[in-house]
Amino acid sequence: MFGSKTTRVEGTIDCLIGSGTVIEGDLRFHGGLRIDGEVIGRVIAEAGKPSLLVLSENAKVRGEIRAAHVVIDGTVEGPIQADELLELQAKARVSGDIRYAVVEVHHGAIVEGAILHIEAQAADKPGLKLASASPGRAGGEPAA
């Protein structure tokens, strides 16, 4: 009760770039970031940490976006990578390629660019081996 421990609820917004604000330069963040203004530069979440990026209806980003969870209802001119979830809401306007793990596109969203699925980490998946590569079997001959 009186300790200095703080618990952070995942999916909360930690920082806000307000309407009418223009930032020129790259942004790096972790946790939650909401943009209501304009960013001219890259918006990149810290790798390996939970991240949520929300672009409101009036927001504009001219540059690359990379985060785990991305929600867009504004305008993006540049590539987007959402490592966990990408939500394109009804007023989203994207000019650039999109890489996603899971995507949700609302009616009315516009994308001008390629939409590519990214696989989960290769280390999480077991490798496949050909049966012909088993010891004691030459050229894929059936076992006796």
Side-chain angles (χ1 to χ4, degrees):
M1 180 174 176
F2 297 105
S4 62
K5 286 185 178 180
T6 58
T7 57
R8 196 170 105 44
V9 178
E10 196 168 320
T12 61
I13 300 298
D14 301 311
C15 184
L16 168 69
I17 297 173
S19 179
T21 302
V22 178
I23 295 180
E24 293 185 28
D26 294 346
L27 291 177
R28 297 201 179 276
F29 74 100
H30 66 272
L33 171 63
R34 178 183 170 106
I35 299 175
D36 291 343
E38 182 176 354
V39 176
I40 302 167
R42 301 181 330 150
V43 180
I44 308 292
E46 203 170 317
K49 293 194 176 181
S51 58
L52 168 63
L53 175 63
V54 177
L55 271 64
S56 72
E57 178 181 336
N58 298 316
K60 184 173 187 175
V61 173
R62 285 192 271 161
E64 177 186 8
I65 290 177
R66 262 191 282 153
H69 185 168
V70 180
V71 179
I72 298 175
D73 201 24
T75 302
V76 177
E77 296 174 4
I80 300 170
Q81 179 166 323
D83 295 326
E84 292 176 11
L85 175 63
L86 171 63
E87 296 178 45
L88 297 175
Q89 296 184 345
K91 295 185 180 176
R93 303 291 180 260
V94 178
S95 295
D97 294 346
I98 294 175
R99 294 177 53 85
Y100 70 93
V102 175
V103 66
E104 178 181 334
V105 181
H106 292 238
H107 181 75
I110 296 174
V111 176
E112 294 177 356
I115 301 176
L116 306 166
H117 182 257
I118 54 176
E119 296 293 326
Q121 295 291 340
D124 295 342
K125 295 184 177 182
L128 297 176
K129 294 182 181 178
L130 296 174
S132 63
S134 299
R137 297 170 86 181
E141 295 174 11

